[in-house]
Amino acid sequence: MGGTTSSTGRGGGTSLGDLPENCVAEVMLRLDPTEICGMARLSRTFRGAASGDGVWEAKLPRNYARLLAAAAAGDDSEEAAALELEAIPKKEVYARLCRRNRLDGGTKEFWLDKVGGGICMAIYSRALSITGIDDRRYWNFITNDESRFHSVAYLSQIWWFEVRGEVEFFFPEGVWINHHVGDFVVKNSNEPLNVQFAMVQIDCTHTKGGLCVDSVVIKPQYLAQKMAARTSSV
C-alpha cells in the first residue's frame, strides 16, 4: 500500500501524516498484521497507530491470555517469567505468540500464523503412540534436517502398523482441518479441546516399511485452502 500527498489551499498542504491517529487506527483494523507493519513506516502518526493495543487486540485470538500462559509455561527463560508478571503491549503479545512455543518437554509446539492470526500446532513423533517404537528391528529415530524437530521416526519393517496421538489445547473458535484425517469445529475457546488422531494399517498379510513419521500438524482451514490454491496454480 502506498501513500500520496494532496495539496489544499494556496500555500499549505496536507498529507497522510496529518490524519488523526484514531482515524488511521480504524483503517488498520481492516488490514492484516503484515500490512499494518508496512503502513507503520509511512509516518510517525501511522507508526503510533500501528502500535496501539486496540489494533493488535483485534488481531489476536479471543483466548490469547490462555495462549500466552501456555507459552510462558513451556518456556523457563526470564523473559517468560516477565510475561506473567506484568502487562505488555498487545503488539508484543502478538509477536510473542508468532514464535515457536514449545509444550510438553518440547514434543509439541504452537504458533500464530503471522498473516491471519490463526493458531497452528505441531506434534512431534516422539509424542505419538507408535506400536513397536521401542524395538529397533522395526523403528528408529534418525536425524533429519528438514524436520522442525530435527529427527523423524523411521519404519524399517513391521506387520502391525499403528500410530495414534492425542492433544488437548485451548483452540480458538473456527473450522480446523488436519490433512488426511478430517475437519473439526471449535465452539468454545475457553475450554480445552481434546483431539485424537490415528494412522493404522493392521492387515498382516504383508509387511510395511520405508516410512518416516515426522509430526502431526494442525492448522486453520484457511491456511490449507491457500496452500491448495498455490499447488493447483503451479
Side-chain angles (χ1 to χ4, degrees), residues 175-195:
V175 178
W176 296 77
I177 180 167
N178 186 9
H179 195 49
H180 298 314
V181 177
D183 304 335
F184 61 93
V185 177
V186 181
K187 296 183 179 179
N188 186 351
S189 60
N190 291 315
E191 294 291 336
L193 178 71
N194 184 277
V195 182

Side-chain angles (χ1 to χ4, degrees), residues 3-216:
T4 60
T5 302
S6 60
S7 297
T8 60
R10 292 187 176 179
T14 58
S15 67
L16 286 174
D18 297 321
L19 288 171
E21 190 173 301
N22 62 333
C23 292
V24 177
E26 281 295 324
V27 174
M28 291 183 173
L29 287 173
R30 293 157 176 79
L31 303 177
D32 65 46
T34 54
E35 292 172 330
I36 293 171
C37 293
M39 289 187 70
R41 296 193 291 267
L42 293 179
S43 72
R44 182 176 298 176
T45 302
F46 278 61
R47 186 162 58 251
S51 299
D53 278 355
V55 170
W56 288 99
E57 188 162 17
K59 306 304 175 185
L60 286 163
R62 289 199 296 177
N63 64 341
Y64 70 85
R66 292 183 182 275
L67 300 178
L68 190 63
D75 189 345
D76 296 328
S77 68
E78 293 182 3
E79 177 190 0
L83 288 177
E84 293 184 296
L85 294 176
E86 60 179 329
I88 60 175
K90 298 301 185 290
K91 182 180 179 180
E92 297 302 318
V93 173
Y94 194 94
R96 176 68 172 80
L97 292 178
C98 283
R99 288 161 45 182
R100 301 278 178 164
N101 299 287
R102 292 291 177 98
L103 304 171
D104 296 343
T107 60
K108 302 182 183 74
E109 62 181 27
F110 76 93
W111 66 96
L112 282 188
D113 169 50
K114 291 182 179 179
V115 176
I119 284 286
C120 305
M121 174 172 279
I123 300 104
Y124 182 29
S125 54
R126 289 185 185 273
L128 304 176
S129 175
I130 303 176
T131 300
I133 191 64
D134 296 324
D135 192 327
R136 292 195 173 184
R137 293 176 299 172
Y138 307 129
W139 291 91
N140 287 281
F141 283 99
I142 60 175
T143 302
N144 188 314
D145 292 336
E146 295 182 4
S147 168
R148 71 181 75 239
F149 296 99
H150 308 299
S151 69
V152 297
Y154 176 73
L155 174 62
S156 300
Q157 190 175 45
I158 202 168
W159 291 96
W160 187 287
F161 175 75
E162 186 172 13
V163 178
R164 296 186 181 274
E166 178 177 352
V167 63
E168 188 169 272
F169 194 68
F170 293 97
F171 291 103
E173 296 94 336
V175 178
W176 296 77
I177 180 167
N178 186 9
H179 195 49
H180 298 314
V181 177
D183 304 335
F184 61 93
V185 177
V186 181
K187 296 183 179 179
N188 186 351
S189 60
N190 291 315
E191 294 291 336
L193 178 71
N194 184 277
V195 182
Q196 299 181 11
F197 39 87
M199 180 168 54
V200 180
Q201 222 297 352
I202 55 177
D203 178 4
C204 293
T205 59
H206 61 278
T207 61
K208 299 85 180 172
L211 176 72
C212 289
V213 179
D214 177 17
S215 58
V216 175

